Amino acid sequence: MDLRHVSFRLLEVFMSVVKSGSISETARRLHLTQPTVSLQIKRLQEAVAEPLFYTYQQRLHPTDAGLRLFQTCQQVFGHFEDYQGYLEELRGGERGHCRIAMVNTAQYILPKLYGPFSATHPNVEMHVEVGNREHVLSRFERGEDDLYVFSHPPTLEHAQAARFLKNPLVFIAPKNHSLSHRVGLTLADVVKHRFLLRESGSATRMLFESELQSRGLVLSNSVKMASNEAIREAVSAGMGVAVLSEHVLGLDQSNIAKLDVCDTNLASHWYFVVRTDRHISHSAKSFLRFAASHLERYLQSPWTENELHLLNVTEQQS
């Protein structure tokens, strides 16, 4: 017999004989018959082609070859015990990889969740991809990540979304702008001025343009910009007015004023999205469970039945 074909059960029998020094005691411990244990040791000895035991004072003692095999078995079984522990941590979401893709604006809020999660789950590797809506949709369609974060989730058959945080949109202008100190503005007042917009397909822009269309309003002057940061800095520099997620503004608003547009209340929500036709890593499930427990603490947003349904969907996946 080739040593590579030796079974773990056979090695387990061998190790028990070394520890007990007795065929009968090994048979009792492993719930086998004595002839079965003797046959197993004989098969292993034939595979090694060396004596594995000698008898002294009515006990079996390992030969040099037997002792070396026993030490090798301890190492092998030790590695497998380590691997078993790794699997338990992996299945418990304490180890592995969690891949999240999010639209640009979400980068201002998600760190408040995955930062504390990483601190309490140091063996989970977080992979975070940030891009515009088109980029994240492409990743979603290819199934490259475990979780996706949108403010306007895709309406596809294999997409399951759960709302977890309100995303209020605010109109902003430079502090010295003619609109900045006026109260009771209307949307019609604001759209007369140069407007700074994200690219087509941006969820914020889609929501804003839908509002304009429903009101029969048209922008007289607009400039397309590639990112929320670019818009925020351009407004601060006096280039025009804009509508942005309130989460984007940050703490430093010294050169920016929020406009009092009384007839318009634009808001969306942030959504966790998963693909129901793809396997989700144990670590990603662990992150969702963490979010379920800590949304109110870190984002002041309670976890509702909607989000719990998403968690149940992921737990049911293999």
Side-chain angles (χ1 to χ4, degrees):
M1 179 193 297
D2 192 321
L3 274 176
R4 291 173 297 180
H5 299 153
V6 171
S7 69
F8 278 92
R9 182 59 169 169
L10 195 156
L11 294 176
E12 184 182 25
V13 170
F14 165 73
M15 292 180 72
S16 181
V17 173
V18 173
K19 292 174 183 177
S20 67
S22 166
I23 296 290
S24 59
E25 179 61 20
T26 292
R28 187 187 68 79
R29 290 180 180 180
L30 300 183
H31 306 288
L32 299 171
T33 65
Q34 291 188 37
T36 298
V37 173
S38 298
L39 179 61
Q40 295 281 60
I41 296 301
K42 180 181 178 182
R43 290 180 61 199
L44 181 60
Q45 205 156 247
E46 289 172 351
V48 174
E50 290 286 341
L52 296 177
F53 293 97
Y54 66 92
T55 304
Y56 178 69
Q57 293 184 347
Q58 298 183 331
R59 287 181 60 84
L60 293 174
H61 299 270
T63 62
D64 288 344
L67 182 60
R68 186 58 179 267
L69 178 59
F70 178 76
Q71 293 168 343
T72 301
C73 289
Q74 284 183 312
Q75 292 176 354
V76 170
F77 278 83
H79 286 309
F80 271 87
E81 287 176 4
D82 291 343
Y83 182 63
Q84 183 66 39
Y86 165 83
L87 288 178
E88 290 172 0
E89 289 185 352
L90 184 69
R91 290 167 185 148
E94 298 298 326
R95 187 179 292 274
H97 300 79
C98 176
R99 294 176 173 84
I100 303 177
M102 67 183 75
V103 293
N104 287 298
T105 319
Q107 66 184 302
Y108 299 99
I109 57 168
L110 256 292
K112 295 178 183 179
L113 283 177
Y114 65 67
F117 174 79
S118 293
T120 55
H121 299 71
N123 294 320
V124 173
E125 294 186 33
M126 299 292 293
H127 300 268
V128 180
E129 181 78 17
V130 180
N132 61 25
R133 178 178 171 80
E134 182 180 356
H135 175 69
V136 179
L137 273 175
S138 295
R139 293 184 66 88
F140 177 84
E141 289 168 0
R142 294 192 296 269
E144 294 186 30
D145 308 279
D146 297 301
L147 303 173
Y148 303 85
V149 181
F150 290 95
S151 59
H152 189 72
T155 54
L156 300 172
E157 184 179 357
H158 52 267
Q160 179 73 48
R163 193 170 66 192
F164 70 91
L165 181 68
K166 192 172 182 179
N167 180 30
L169 305 183
V170 292
F171 291 91
I172 58 174
K175 271 282 175 66
N176 60 359
H177 196 277
S178 61
L179 297 176
S180 63
H181 300 294
R182 291 177 56 182
V183 296
L185 291 167
T186 66
L187 185 58
D189 294 328
V190 177
V191 298
K192 295 175 184 177
H193 297 262
R194 178 192 290 151
F195 228 93
L196 311 182
L197 295 170
R198 286 288 305 277
E199 74 281 1
S200 298
S202 158
T204 299
R205 179 167 175 173
M206 288 166 57
L207 186 61
F208 179 53
E209 289 181 336
S210 176
E211 181 71 11
L212 291 178
Q213 186 176 9
S214 70
R215 307 270 284 273
L217 296 173
V218 179
L219 293 175
S220 58
N221 184 6
S222 64
V223 178
K224 185 174 74 174
M225 309 198 81
S227 69
N228 294 307
E229 293 85 351
I231 291 177
R232 184 182 59 196
E233 292 304 314
V235 170
S236 179
M239 189 173 174
V241 299
V243 59
L244 284 178
S245 166
E246 192 165 15
H247 298 296
V248 174
L249 298 185
L251 298 176
D252 183 12
Q253 300 178 24
S254 56
N255 296 321
I256 294 176
K258 295 181 186 177
L259 301 181
D260 178 32
V261 182
C262 62
D263 69 341
T264 306
N265 183 21
L266 295 178
S268 60
H269 286 83
W270 292 113
Y271 293 80
F272 286 125
V273 183
V274 299
R275 287 187 62 129
T276 56
D277 60 346
R278 292 285 191 278
H279 170 75
I280 298 172
S281 72
H282 294 291
S283 300
K285 295 176 185 178
S286 181
F287 174 75
L288 280 180
R289 288 192 293 269
F290 180 88
S293 301
H294 295 83
L295 265 179
E296 193 154 12
R297 176 180 178 184
Y298 294 117
L299 297 180
Q300 289 75 55
S301 177
W303 190 261
T304 68
E305 289 299 321
N306 193 317
E307 289 77 34
L308 288 174
H309 176 67
L310 177 68
L311 187 57
N312 291 335
V313 167
T314 62
E315 295 293 359
Q316 291 166 8
Q317 291 181 328
S318 59

